[in-house]
Amino acid sequence: MFFLGSHIGPSIHITNTESSDALETCAPALAAVLNITFYRNESLAPTPLPASHSTTDGEQIIQLFQTVGRSTIWKSIANISFEGDTFEPEGMVRLGDDRYIFSCGEYTEHTRKYDKIVNGTDRTPGKGFAHLMVFNGKGERIADASITSEGEMEYHNGGLDFDGEFIWGTIGQYRPNSTAYIYRTNPSTLEPEMVLRYRDHLGGIVHDTREGTVTALNWGARNASTWQLIKRGKTKTGCGATSRPSTVVRNPSYFVDYQDCKWLGHSKFYNDKSVMLCSGVATIGSYNLGGIALVDVETMVPLAEVPIALESSLGVRLTQNPVDVSVTDGKLRFYWMPDQHNSTLYIYEAQPESPFQYGGGD
C-alpha cells in the first residue's frame, strides 16, 4: 500500500463554472487534511460515473416501493465481506456493481454522558476521525481516505448522497445540539470541499439537483434543514460562516430515526413531490426496530413506510446506517452494511410474488 497527501493552497476553491451547479465552495482545511492510503492499483470510481437515481431509476424505485409491506419476502442475493477495519459505517454510495464508497467514523475516545445537560448537549465531545472508504464488488479495499485531522471537534460522518457528479456528506460533532458542516467530493479524487457550516448536528443528507437545494437531518432525524444553494446561477456560503437554512421542518414521524437517505427525484407518482428514500432504526424499550421509508423532502411527511426485521449475522438490524437501492430485472434491491469494524454488505431483493397484505394488489 502507499499514501497520498493532497493539498490545495488557496483558501477559497471555486469550481469550474461549467460544472452543473456553478457552486462556489469553501475548502481551506478539508483538502489540506486529506490523506489517502491506497491498497490496490484500481481507480477510486468508474469512468464515466453512473447517473443519479433521480435521472435513472428513481421513479421506478418509488413505484416498486408501493408493493412492499410487512408480508414482503426478502431474498438474500449476496453477503459480501469487506476487507479491513471499517470502523462505524454511516453512509453508502453505490457506483455500479464494482464500486462502493462508505463514510465511516473512527473513534479514538468515546463520548461520555453528562449527569445533566451542559451547553445544550448531553455528552462529552469524544475524539476521532472521519473516513471515506472505497471497495470493489468483491469487498476488496481499494482506498481509505481520512478527511479530518486529529483534535477536530467535528469528526462524526453522516450519510451520503450522489447526484451523478458529486458525493454529498456531513461531518459533525458526535453529540446532539452541536455543530456540523456539509461537504461534497468528487468520487474520483475524494477531495472534500466544504459547502457550509451549521450550528446543529447533521447526519443524513440529500441533494435536489432540480431546485438547487440540499437538505440535511439532525440528530435522530428530528429536524430537516434545507439550504438554497443555487440562486441566479451561483451562490457563496462564506468560509467558516454559519449559514442560515431557508427552511427547518420538524419530522412528524417517530417510526424510525433515518440514518442514510438517497434522493430519488421529483416523483410523478407523488405529484411532483421531492422524494427521498431513507433507512433507519429506533430503539423502543429493549427492541431495535428497523425500517425504510419514502419521505417528502419539503415537509418530512412519510409517503410510505415499511418495517424491516432482517438482521446481520452479528444480530444487528440491517437498516442500521448505510443504505443504497437499485432496480435489477424489475425487482427492488437494497444494499445494507450495518456492522461495525468487521463489515458485510448484505444485498436483499423484495420478491414480487410476496403475499400482498390485505389484498388489493395486482
Side-chain angles (χ1 to χ4, degrees):
M1 62 183 175
F2 58 97
F3 302 87
L4 172 66
S6 178
H7 176 71
I8 293 180
S11 61
I12 300 290
H13 176 68
I14 302 177
T15 60
N16 189 328
T17 56
E18 296 179 357
S19 173
S20 62
D21 60 10
L23 172 68
E24 295 185 2
T25 57
C26 309
L30 298 194
V33 301
L34 175 65
N35 194 324
I36 307 180
T37 304
F38 288 90
Y39 296 89
R40 305 183 68 84
N41 187 22
E42 298 182 26
S43 61
L44 294 174
T47 303
L49 289 170
S52 65
H53 287 305
S54 65
T55 59
T56 55
D57 57 3
E59 188 65 22
Q60 194 175 6
I61 290 169
I62 290 169
Q63 292 184 12
L64 287 172
F65 201 101
Q66 310 309 310
T67 67
V68 179
R70 282 183 293 180
S71 57
T72 293
I73 297 170
W74 292 93
K75 179 181 178 181
S76 176
I77 302 300
N79 295 346
I80 304 173
S81 297
F82 278 41
E83 286 182 346
D85 189 344
T86 55
F87 306 118
E88 182 184 19
E90 297 286 351
M92 177 197 315
V93 164
R94 174 181 170 270
L95 301 174
D97 291 332
D98 197 43
R99 281 298 180 277
Y100 296 88
I101 298 180
F102 295 89
S103 56
C104 305
E106 175 189 4
Y107 310 128
T108 57
E109 178 184 301
H110 292 288
T111 61
R112 301 187 309 277
K113 284 289 190 76
Y114 294 133
D115 294 331
K116 59 182 180 180
I117 299 298
V118 177
N119 295 325
T121 193
D122 65 351
R123 66 197 69 188
T124 62
K127 296 179 181 179
F129 298 89
H131 294 254
L132 291 174
M133 295 187 177
V134 185
F135 297 86
N136 64 24
K138 299 176 183 178
E140 295 169 331
R141 182 170 51 178
I142 296 173
D144 177 3
S146 176
I147 57 174
T148 59
S149 60
E150 186 174 4
E152 291 187 23
M153 293 278 284
E154 295 159 331
Y155 60 86
H156 181 267
N157 251 319
L160 296 177
D161 192 27
F162 176 63
D163 63 10
E165 183 177 9
F166 293 102
I167 292 173
W168 294 73
T170 64
I171 293 178
Q173 294 188 45
Y174 198 4
R175 51 185 183 172
N177 302 325
S178 53
T179 61
Y181 58 86
I182 290 173
Y183 71 94
R184 71 177 189 181
T185 184
N186 184 325
S188 298
T189 66
L190 301 185
E191 199 169 84
E193 302 172 301
M194 185 182 295
V195 176
L196 59 86
R197 303 191 66 88
Y198 190 46
R199 291 197 182 103
D200 196 1
H201 176 90
L202 297 176
I205 183 171
V206 294
H207 180 212
D208 182 334
T209 54
R210 193 186 84 174
E211 300 301 322
T213 60
V214 63
T215 298
L217 311 179
N218 73 347
W219 190 274
R222 291 302 92 213
N223 289 342
S225 300
T226 298
W227 290 265
Q228 183 71 50
L229 295 181
I230 307 301
K231 186 178 292 185
R232 293 184 294 277
K234 184 163 41 178
T235 187
K236 290 183 179 180
T237 58
C239 282
T242 299
S243 299
R244 186 183 300 276
S246 54
T247 62
V248 178
V249 177
R250 187 70 176 170
N251 182 359
S253 173
Y254 287 85
F255 171 50
V256 294
D257 296 346
Y258 306 136
Q259 306 288 314
D260 194 20
C261 300
K262 299 294 172 281
W263 190 62
L264 302 181
H266 288 263
S267 172
K268 294 180 181 178
F269 186 88
Y270 287 117
N271 300 316
D272 205 43
K273 286 183 170 64
S274 179
V275 178
M276 60 182 175
L277 179 144
C278 297
S279 181
V281 293
T283 301
I284 303 172
S286 60
Y287 183 77
N288 203 32
L289 172 68
I292 52 177
L294 297 180
V295 182
D296 181 342
V297 178
E298 183 178 358
T299 66
M300 284 299 290
V301 172
L303 304 169
E305 297 176 320
V306 178
I308 299 293
L310 299 169
E311 293 183 344
S312 74
S313 61
L314 300 180
V316 179
R317 199 69 64 197
L318 290 193
T319 56
Q320 179 86 34
N321 292 338
V323 68
D324 211 335
V325 61
S326 71
V327 177
T328 304
D329 296 328
K331 297 179 182 179
L332 191 60
R333 183 171 288 190
F334 278 83
Y335 306 79
W336 288 298
M337 198 168 84
D339 296 322
Q340 298 183 28
H341 301 294
N342 299 309
S343 297
T344 297
L345 179 70
Y346 293 87
I347 305 176
Y348 275 84
E349 201 169 73
Q351 297 304 289
E353 65 272 17
S354 301
F356 190 86
Q357 202 157 12
Y358 304 123
D362 294 332

